[in-house]
Amino acid sequence: MASEFKVIIIGGGMGGLTLAHACLHQGISVELYDKRDLKAMLSGPGGIFIQHNALRVYKLLNSGQLSQRFYQQGGKILKGGFFSQTGDHLYINSPEFIREDDLGVCLLRPELQQILYETLPPEIVHPGVAFENFEDIGNQVRVSFSDGSTVEGDILVGADGLYSKVRARLQDQERLEEPVYSGTCCWRGYFNTSSLSLDSRYSWAEFWGQGHRFGYFDVGGGRFAFYAFNNTSAGGNDDAVGGSLKALRSIFQDYAEPIPAIIDALDPEKIYRDDIVDRAPLGSQWGQGRVTLIGDAAHPVLPTLGQGGCMAVEDGFELAKQLSVHTGSADNVSELLREFEAHRSQRVTRVFNTSRQIATLAQADTAIGCWLRNWIYKLTPTRLADLQFKWLFDYQPKP
């Protein structure tokens, strides 16, 4: 690899920051730009799962210091599962099914972002700089920003999320078309467990009702993140019912404990609501020339499996590893990017499809549909039910 080789990343979320770490790990020069100011870039609602497939990447980066920091800050993913609205067990999962002591670790999003940011050299990340366009100038790509500045590099990576402007520019658009609405909105946030009595056997749980579900998971420090889904029209808000807390109480009032108690413990000022969306997979090619995409910019998925961020982590590591064999040839760059995209497409498409399938089951909104769903899970042996998830953990990054 040529020593002057440089990667330019647009987007300072989990995927972009992880790619920056992975580039440095491979000896590749990297610069990251994000349109948000630093405070906004390091924020985010609720918590996030870093499951073992992604955690294996972090164990290879920074001499394992990132994974150590995550465990110190967050909560281990241990035993947990799906329950009916009345609290009956539907499916219980434990780390033994992947022969590990845990399934990974969960953190609050701002704390994850902070760790990923502060463990990079300070000159790498440039917040408050908005991407505008790119131009392939032959042996490099020139990136322009809304303030009139430009920078040149060998590769441009769009890690700028669901409404990726890099992806829009690849498609000669100013803004991407709207994503596909799932029919479901989601509330997210976190709560302190000091006043609650949660079942100590489970580090996570998800309760399934009729057209709605509620989940929570350990994010460390006596705190749990929560999420709540409800089938509803797009673009809604909770103003008509007096706010998010009242909306949650109304929807989940008939759920078994601890759900009503969790809702009572929430701070109404720290509840975030949005619509849940995805985009159809791009296939085996995500970019062109010296430009590619990773994470939600390339393949946003429903959060059913908790794998959206994990796929971005895998992307970042695999891309940096692919670029480490760059020979200095301009043609070689494009070939490497297309090989990376083709290599990743099958796995992320499977995650997309499985996420939609399980979301359809979890959000069943008829009485007969819920009854059938619950009995299917109850009657399925655990070892067989585990197979719907085990393949996710088979990913083994190679140094």
Side-chain angles (χ1 to χ4, degrees):
M1 180 179 60
S3 60
E4 70 276 8
F5 190 78
K6 182 169 74 174
V7 172
I8 300 169
I9 304 169
I10 305 300
M14 184 179 184
L17 291 171
T18 301
L19 174 58
H21 278 282
C23 285
L24 295 180
H25 179 74
Q26 297 290 353
I28 300 170
S29 176
V30 61
E31 296 177 5
L32 185 151
Y33 298 85
D34 193 289
K35 65 182 180 181
R36 298 166 292 181
D37 63 30
L38 185 59
K39 181 179 179 180
M41 195 187 87
L42 300 183
S43 66
I48 190 164
F49 281 73
I50 306 176
Q51 299 179 63
H52 248 296
N53 52 307
L55 195 62
R56 292 187 184 109
V57 167
Y58 289 124
K59 287 181 177 180
L60 294 175
L61 301 178
N62 288 54
S63 302
Q65 293 180 25
L66 288 173
S67 63
Q68 293 172 17
R69 289 283 303 275
F70 294 161
Y71 274 116
Q72 291 167 1
Q73 186 72 47
K76 291 182 179 179
I77 310 172
L78 301 172
K79 191 175 183 179
F82 302 147
F83 300 80
S84 72
Q85 179 175 330
T86 57
D88 294 333
H89 295 183
L90 301 179
Y91 165 69
I92 302 299
N93 169 272
S94 62
E96 286 77 13
F97 91 104
I98 61 164
R99 299 179 181 178
E100 296 279 1
D101 294 331
D102 57 68
L103 295 174
V105 62
C106 298
L107 293 92
L108 291 178
R109 286 177 181 270
E111 294 174 357
L112 168 68
Q113 287 287 102
Q114 181 66 42
I115 292 171
L116 290 174
Y117 167 71
E118 69 184 24
T119 46
L120 286 170
E123 68 274 11
I124 296 292
V125 181
H126 306 270
V129 184
F131 168 81
E132 184 61 32
N133 211 338
F134 70 85
E135 178 187 4
D136 192 325
I137 55 175
N139 61 344
Q140 286 196 314
V141 59
R142 179 179 295 132
V143 180
S144 58
F145 301 97
S146 59
D147 62 2
S149 63
T150 63
V151 65
E152 294 178 4
D154 297 271
I155 297 288
L156 171 63
V157 182
D160 47 343
L162 179 66
Y163 292 97
S164 169
K165 193 161 186 176
V166 177
R167 178 168 170 173
R169 292 305 194 192
L170 279 165
Q171 299 174 3
D172 294 322
Q173 298 175 327
E174 176 64 30
R175 178 180 170 86
L176 289 177
E177 68 280 0
E178 288 300 308
V180 180
Y181 180 50
S182 67
T184 305
C185 75
C186 179
W187 294 267
R188 286 175 283 177
Y190 70 94
F191 58 93
N192 194 295
T193 60
S194 58
S195 62
L196 295 171
S197 179
L198 301 181
D199 193 327
S200 60
R201 292 176 296 175
Y202 307 118
S203 74
W204 65 277
E206 185 170 299
F207 289 67
W208 290 358
Q210 186 172 326
H212 35 67
R213 71 189 194 270
F214 192 105
Y216 58 90
F217 53 95
D218 185 4
V219 290
R223 303 159 305 170
F224 275 63
F226 87 91
Y227 54 90
F229 293 90
N230 185 47
N231 291 351
T232 188
S233 300
N237 61 60
D238 302 317
D239 294 345
V241 296
S244 295
L245 200 56
K246 288 187 176 180
L248 290 169
R249 284 176 174 148
S250 175
I251 295 167
F252 298 100
Q253 60 183 329
D254 295 329
Y255 272 56
E257 292 292 353
I259 306 308
I262 289 172
I263 293 172
D264 286 341
L266 298 178
D267 180 348
E269 300 299 319
K270 297 180 180 178
I271 300 174
Y272 176 86
R273 172 178 169 163
D274 62 355
D275 290 337
I276 299 302
V277 298
D278 62 14
R279 295 187 191 276
L282 285 170
S284 61
Q285 182 171 337
W286 306 346
Q288 60 188 35
R290 294 176 171 271
V291 184
T292 191
L293 307 168
I294 67 168
D296 282 354
H299 45 74
V301 300
L302 301 183
T304 324
L305 300 176
Q307 280 283 339
C310 296
M311 290 300 101
V313 171
E314 290 184 15
D315 283 349
F317 183 84
E318 293 297 328
L319 176 56
K321 186 173 70 174
Q322 184 83 345
L323 294 178
S324 70
V325 299
H326 173 52
T327 63
S329 163
D331 292 338
N332 178 242
V333 169
S334 181
E335 291 172 3
L336 290 174
L337 295 183
R338 304 297 83 79
E339 288 173 6
F340 155 74
E341 295 160 2
H343 169 70
R344 293 292 300 159
S345 63
Q346 184 174 0
R347 179 166 169 84
V348 299
T349 299
R350 187 176 181 185
V351 170
F352 173 89
N353 290 331
T354 307
S355 297
R356 277 196 172 184
Q357 291 164 2
I358 296 180
T360 299
L361 282 174
Q363 291 297 131
D365 57 7
T366 65
I368 187 64
C370 292
W371 183 85
L372 286 171
R373 173 198 67 196
N374 291 358
W375 274 105
I376 287 171
Y377 269 91
K378 278 185 177 181
L379 296 176
T380 301
T382 299
R383 63 181 179 80
L384 294 180
D386 285 343
L387 293 178
Q388 67 183 320
F389 305 114
K390 186 178 182 301
W391 61 274
L392 291 165
F393 297 90
D394 290 340
Y395 171 74
Q396 297 283 350
K398 298 178 181 178

